[in-house]
Amino acid sequence: MVWTPNLYSLLAFSAAGVSLAVATQIRDHRDERGALLFITLLLAATGWATAYGIQLGLPTAAGQRLWQRLGVAIGGCIPTLWLFFAFTYSGRDGGLTPRVTTLLAIEPMTFAVLVLTNPAHNLVWNDLELAETAVGTALEPTFGAVMYGHVAYAYLSIVGGLAVLFYVFLRNPTVYRRQTGLLMLGAIVPMSANVAFFAGLSWGPFPVLDPTPFSFVVTGVLVGLAFFRFDLLARAPVARQHVLDEMGDGLLVLDTD
């Protein structure tokens, strides 16, 4: 079995590289509130895109199935991490008690176990056969009940995080709106790609390809812009509120007049 990367493998690796680069830069600010959560989220995107790139370069169904299980198991935690980060970034993580956090984490952990053990029960995929395309081969999946249940949970988590950020967008000054807008767009792009995949919308010469891992290159660029241009994390809404809450003296804000 010879691994032969194709164009789509390289695109997946590019998406992984962008996510990893942004995660590496944020690592220097890991003491900021929510930084470790966001780094973990970006590393999960890196892992999924990397596994997918390796998968697409393998010529056999067995090899592709192995790497697909690994990539989807890693990617399955992204929606929950996104929800945790949205609440933390907005300063509304008081409701994320250890009990609530544990309950929310049960789904991605259970999903990962079921994905990795799918050959024993076929609850995630009923069938994974190689399909010939114009640029190589890829697995054409037939989804099981567990996959559809996970997708519903994932979309609810992402939409929940978007709703929290939209509230921040409406209630905060312009600098936070720019940060929040980029974060929201960075989540909407991969979600839209995933919706298109599960809706059966084909694209390009590779109709069975999942575009979600490739879309992380857009997410990485948008997050990088929010981080480098608008001081994401260092100037988050929760940090502003913390300063106001802890300020012991009165403060008078003046304009140039």
Side-chain angles (χ1 to χ4, degrees):
M1 181 175 65
V2 179
W3 181 65
T4 307
N6 52 42
L7 173 62
Y8 290 99
S9 295
L10 299 179
L11 290 175
F13 292 147
S14 297
V18 172
S19 296
L20 181 60
V22 176
T24 301
Q25 293 300 316
I26 294 178
R27 181 179 177 275
D28 295 334
H29 300 264
R30 58 186 177 276
D31 293 333
E32 301 289 348
R33 189 181 181 93
L36 291 179
L37 266 176
F38 207 48
I39 290 171
T40 306
L41 192 156
L42 288 170
L43 290 178
T46 300
W48 187 6
T50 300
Y52 203 41
I54 295 173
Q55 172 197 328
L56 294 175
L58 293 170
T60 66
Q64 289 209 19
R65 288 171 188 151
L66 175 63
W67 283 97
Q68 183 182 47
R69 291 197 300 272
L70 180 60
V72 173
I74 295 172
C77 70
I78 291 177
T80 304
L81 289 171
W82 160 255
L83 182 63
F84 289 166
F85 173 76
F87 274 93
T88 303
Y89 170 82
S90 65
R92 290 168 174 78
D93 55 340
L96 293 178
T97 62
R99 179 183 178 86
V100 172
T101 301
T102 300
L103 289 174
L104 290 173
I106 288 175
E107 194 282 336
M109 293 173 62
T110 303
F111 178 70
V113 172
L114 291 174
V115 166
L116 295 174
T117 59
N118 187 72
H121 48 71
N122 293 324
L123 293 175
V124 182
W125 296 284
N126 296 324
D127 190 22
L128 284 170
E129 297 298 331
L130 282 181
E132 293 293 335
T133 70
V135 294
T137 58
L139 292 174
E140 186 171 8
T142 302
F143 300 113
V146 168
M147 178 61 83
Y148 287 113
H150 169 72
V151 168
Y153 175 85
Y155 290 169
L156 285 174
S157 298
I158 296 171
V159 171
L162 287 171
V164 171
L165 292 185
F166 187 65
Y167 180 82
V168 173
F169 181 86
L170 293 177
R171 296 294 298 269
N172 282 279
T174 302
V175 62
Y176 301 112
R177 290 185 177 183
R178 291 168 179 167
Q179 290 180 2
T180 307
L182 289 170
L183 287 174
M184 292 171 63
L185 188 57
I188 290 171
V189 170
M191 180 178 175
S192 300
N194 194 258
V195 169
F197 175 64
F198 278 96
L201 302 178
S202 62
W203 62 289
F206 225 154
V208 298
L209 205 65
D210 183 355
T212 313
F214 304 105
S215 66
F216 291 138
V217 68
V218 178
T219 301
V221 170
L222 293 172
V223 170
L225 181 60
F227 181 76
F228 294 110
R229 180 66 178 84
F230 300 114
D231 295 330
L232 179 66
L233 301 180
R235 210 191 310 180
V238 64
R240 171 178 176 266
Q241 188 60 47
H242 179 72
V243 170
L244 294 176
D245 291 342
E246 296 297 320
M247 186 175 296
D249 298 322
L251 178 66
L252 180 65
V253 180
L254 305 174
D255 60 16
T256 53
D257 297 325

